[in-house]
Amino acid sequence: MSPVVAGILDDWPDSATDDYDNIARLAATLLVELLAYQFASPVQWIDTLDLVFGKFGVRRLVEVGASPVLSGIAVKTLRSNTLHGKHVDVLHIERDRDAIYYAQQRQEVSGPTPNTLPAPSEQPTVPAAATMAECVLPAAQPPGTVAATLVDAPLQTLDVVHALVAHKLKCPLADVSALKSIKALVGGKSTLQNEIVGDLHKEFGSKVPDKAEELSLEDLAAAIG
């Protein structure tokens, strides 16, 4: 604790007066001291996760916030410390809404059953004209006409990584170099960097390597496989 704050608390009955100027000085002192120690003190992130997932046995963590920053860091921490190997669902309130509210399970439970189908006598009749229209065959192509063959190109990991990073940066793909790392592309914006890494973990799971933000996009895609 700040020695200045400790001194104020020790003399609190004398420090807390009705004098406005003294109250203003006291408020300014407390604000500066508390913020200074907040910024300078360690956050004890690892100890916190060890307590939450280890001692308390939490197996489902939901981050409520604008973007999945802390959940992305939590996934990386779980892979690198003594909790490695424990199954923990790390979710974000917006990104994983369906999983959080069990939307898929509810849909399966409330889906139609055979008993809800209409009886044969209640089946709607299809007009004869509609039936005939569905049976009309397409016109034959003129002789010598060759239909174009479209070949499905497999989606490469680099394409996904490249598109994801460009989307988060709000830049065209051409402006995002695959030879640069996420850390270089975000220009020191650690929050944006953590968001991108969190989205990569959501897309590729445990395939994302440690310190993914320091690899070029090409090397990162190769490491993911």
Side-chain angles (χ1 to χ4, degrees):
M1 179 184 292
S2 163
V4 176
V5 174
I8 293 174
L9 294 178
D10 291 340
D11 300 330
W12 182 252
D14 297 329
S15 301
T17 65
D18 294 333
D19 181 65
Y20 176 79
D21 292 336
N22 186 52
I23 293 176
R25 286 193 298 271
L26 179 63
T29 301
L30 288 174
L31 179 63
V32 171
E33 288 295 317
L34 292 176
L35 284 179
Y37 269 75
Q38 175 69 23
F39 289 134
S41 300
V43 296
Q44 299 185 4
W45 173 260
I46 301 296
D47 293 340
T48 300
L49 291 193
D50 284 339
L51 185 66
V52 172
F53 298 130
K55 180 178 180 180
F56 296 146
V58 172
R59 290 296 175 263
R60 186 176 174 89
L61 176 69
V62 179
E63 178 185 1
V64 179
S67 57
V69 176
L70 294 180
S71 55
I73 301 175
V75 170
K76 294 177 63 176
T77 305
L78 285 167
R79 294 174 54 196
S80 60
N81 71 347
T82 56
L83 296 172
H84 180 70
K86 290 191 176 182
H87 177 72
V88 178
D89 292 328
V90 181
L91 309 172
H92 182 263
I93 187 66
E94 294 296 335
R95 183 189 64 191
D96 308 300
R97 180 174 294 273
D98 290 345
I100 293 171
Y101 293 105
Y102 301 99
Q104 183 65 31
Q105 288 87 335
R106 291 205 310 270
Q107 183 179 359
E108 292 175 356
V109 172
S110 60
T113 61
N115 294 332
T116 61
L117 296 176
S121 60
E122 298 175 359
Q123 293 282 358
T125 57
V126 180
T131 304
M132 292 298 296
E134 293 176 358
C135 296
V136 176
L137 297 177
Q141 294 183 348
T145 302
V146 179
T149 302
L150 298 178
V151 179
D152 290 335
L155 186 63
Q156 303 295 326
T157 303
L158 179 59
D159 298 331
V160 179
V161 173
H162 199 185
L164 189 151
V165 174
H167 173 72
K168 296 298 292 188
L169 295 176
K170 296 181 174 60
C171 295
L173 281 174
D175 294 344
V176 180
S177 173
L179 300 177
K180 292 185 177 180
S181 65
I182 296 173
K183 189 174 184 177
L185 290 169
V186 300
K189 299 177 181 178
S190 59
T191 300
L192 180 58
Q193 173 182 300
N194 291 331
E195 288 181 13
I196 294 175
V197 174
D199 287 348
L200 288 172
H201 279 285
K202 174 62 178 177
E203 182 70 28
F204 298 107
S206 60
K207 295 181 179 179
V208 179
D210 293 333
K211 297 183 179 180
E213 65 277 4
E214 298 181 2
L215 300 175
S216 69
L217 300 189
E218 286 186 349
D219 292 341
L220 176 58
I224 292 174

